[in-house]
Amino acid sequence: MRYRRLDLNLLVALDALLSECSVSRAAERLCLGQSATSSALGRLREHFNDPLLAQVGRGLEPTALGLQLLPKVREALALTRDIVDAPVSFDPATCTRKFTLVASDYVAGVLLPAVSQQLARIAPGVRLSLRDMPVPRDGDVVSEALDYRRSDCVIVPQRRLNPAYPHVPLMHDQLCCIVCERQLQYAHGLSLAMYCAAEHVVREFADGRNLAMDAAHLHELGLQRHVAVALESFVLMPEFIVDTARIATVFLRQAERFAQRYRLRILPTPLAFPEAVQVLQWHPYQDQDPAMQWFRGLLLEQATLLDQPAG
């Protein structure tokens, strides 16, 4: 590579020549023949318009310019070695990067507050950008989030996993039902007949396609429920349950948080739903990114803590 007409490879030869003050010893150090080393010296002399090494008695001595160049050349080569040999490292304490994460408001409410608290404690310069699940143009939420929306990570239900992208299981949960605490007809539980006859509050995307896990399972079983209210947000569901006889089927961790703020009763579902598994996915080109590896590790760490009993 040339920079201002100088072949930068000659800097290594210049260091050896000025350090050894001998063409033969410089050749040994460079693992080159003497003629090649002499040729390199000739090209350096031509570029700098200076002998660089002058004959003094039987030996060679650096000229004034040679003495001036030697420490600068050594510094430049040392910096080059640092750049070439430096391992890719990541220090969360000094990071100022923004991580963009796509997830449902269920995941955002259950997992990400703890993640945000950890970021504030150990990586105060990191910015976290949360985006809701997109409506995919081709049916694939993962590619929509990672390729089209250029997000760093996406957390999706396992049934939405795209095997073309790296992935790891992140959260495990189960479905339950929430009802208003004042509705005495639910005081002793919820039968399947009551479940099917009741009005329901459900989550539904803006285009009308209900992608919720409970809706997909009920459809597979051939069961129908009466949808009274369809929302784009899990978080709003309690507002439409309180002081009504309606039912909502939600994730247990989220229901427990709802019950802390609303007068709700949490009930087991009257039929078995599959385990709810959320999967973390990211783009293959970020697989070895140290910052992304650290961030994914933080998400996994905090998700693991959810499974540990309080106290």
Side-chain angles (χ1 to χ4, degrees):
M1 177 179 175
R2 291 184 175 275
Y3 181 73
R4 295 189 177 181
R5 301 187 304 277
L6 175 67
D7 184 349
L8 296 182
N9 292 315
L10 290 175
L11 293 180
V12 179
L14 180 58
D15 176 50
L17 287 162
L18 294 175
S19 299
E20 299 294 341
C21 293
S22 166
V23 174
S24 60
R25 289 196 300 270
E28 292 177 5
R29 180 167 163 175
L30 295 168
C31 298
L32 293 174
Q34 285 198 39
S35 61
T37 306
S38 294
S39 174
L41 177 58
R43 292 161 64 191
L44 286 164
R45 285 170 167 168
E46 180 180 357
H47 177 81
F48 289 105
N49 193 27
D50 187 272
L52 299 175
L53 288 172
Q55 191 75 38
V56 178
R58 294 186 175 183
L60 295 175
E61 294 291 338
T63 64
L65 179 59
L67 290 172
Q68 181 182 347
L69 289 175
L70 181 57
K72 295 179 179 180
V73 171
R74 286 177 175 171
E75 182 180 357
L77 293 177
L79 180 58
T80 302
R81 283 192 295 271
D82 288 343
I83 294 172
V84 172
D85 297 336
V88 179
S89 59
F90 173 74
D91 181 5
T94 60
C95 180
T96 57
R97 185 162 169 176
K98 180 175 78 171
F99 295 107
T100 301
L101 175 64
V102 171
S104 68
D105 59 336
Y106 152 65
V107 174
V110 170
L111 174 64
L112 297 184
V115 172
S116 178
Q117 291 168 13
Q118 280 294 94
L119 289 175
R121 186 177 67 84
I122 62 179
V126 166
R127 294 165 294 153
L128 183 61
S129 176
L130 304 180
R131 297 176 181 172
D132 198 3
M133 299 290 286
V135 177
R137 65 196 74 190
D138 58 2
D140 183 5
V141 175
V142 176
S143 63
E144 180 74 26
L146 298 178
D147 284 324
Y148 295 112
R149 305 295 176 92
R150 312 300 289 177
S151 303
D152 292 312
C153 298
V154 59
I155 300 172
V156 294
Q158 189 171 43
R159 61 193 174 86
R160 295 288 171 188
L161 181 147
N162 185 329
Y165 298 82
H167 58 274
V168 62
L170 182 67
M171 293 171 55
H172 298 260
D173 208 341
Q174 63 189 70
L175 289 173
C176 66
C177 293
I178 55 173
V179 297
C180 177
E181 191 179 62
R182 297 188 180 95
Q183 299 296 317
L184 298 181
Q185 68 267 38
Y186 301 128
H188 301 291
L190 185 63
S191 69
L192 182 58
M194 295 169 66
Y195 183 84
C196 292
E199 293 186 336
H200 286 257
V201 178
V202 302
R203 184 179 192 246
E204 190 174 87
F205 274 106
D207 64 353
R209 290 180 300 140
N210 194 322
L211 301 179
M213 173 181 163
D214 55 328
H217 187 63
L218 290 171
H219 179 73
E220 291 172 0
L221 296 177
L223 296 175
Q224 292 186 343
R225 57 187 173 181
H226 175 53
V227 176
V229 181
L231 304 168
E232 291 186 54
S233 170
F234 286 113
V235 174
L236 293 175
M237 284 183 167
E239 300 284 355
F240 296 86
I241 296 293
V242 172
D243 293 330
T244 75
R246 296 172 185 147
I247 297 171
T249 305
V250 298
F251 299 102
L252 178 58
R253 287 197 178 102
Q254 194 168 40
E256 292 170 344
R257 285 162 173 76
F258 289 158
Q260 294 173 2
R261 303 194 300 270
Y262 299 90
R263 296 190 64 179
L264 298 174
R265 179 179 287 117
I266 301 174
L267 299 173
T269 58
L271 69 161
F273 284 96
E275 182 184 32
V277 180
Q278 299 287 328
V279 180
L280 174 64
Q281 295 208 255
W282 59 94
H283 206 284
Y285 84 88
Q286 292 183 311
D287 202 38
Q288 300 302 316
D289 182 336
M292 286 304 306
Q293 289 177 334
W294 174 83
F295 181 63
R296 294 194 298 266
L298 179 63
L299 292 172
L300 289 166
E301 175 187 275
Q302 294 303 309
T304 300
L305 292 176
L306 290 176
D307 294 325
Q308 298 181 3

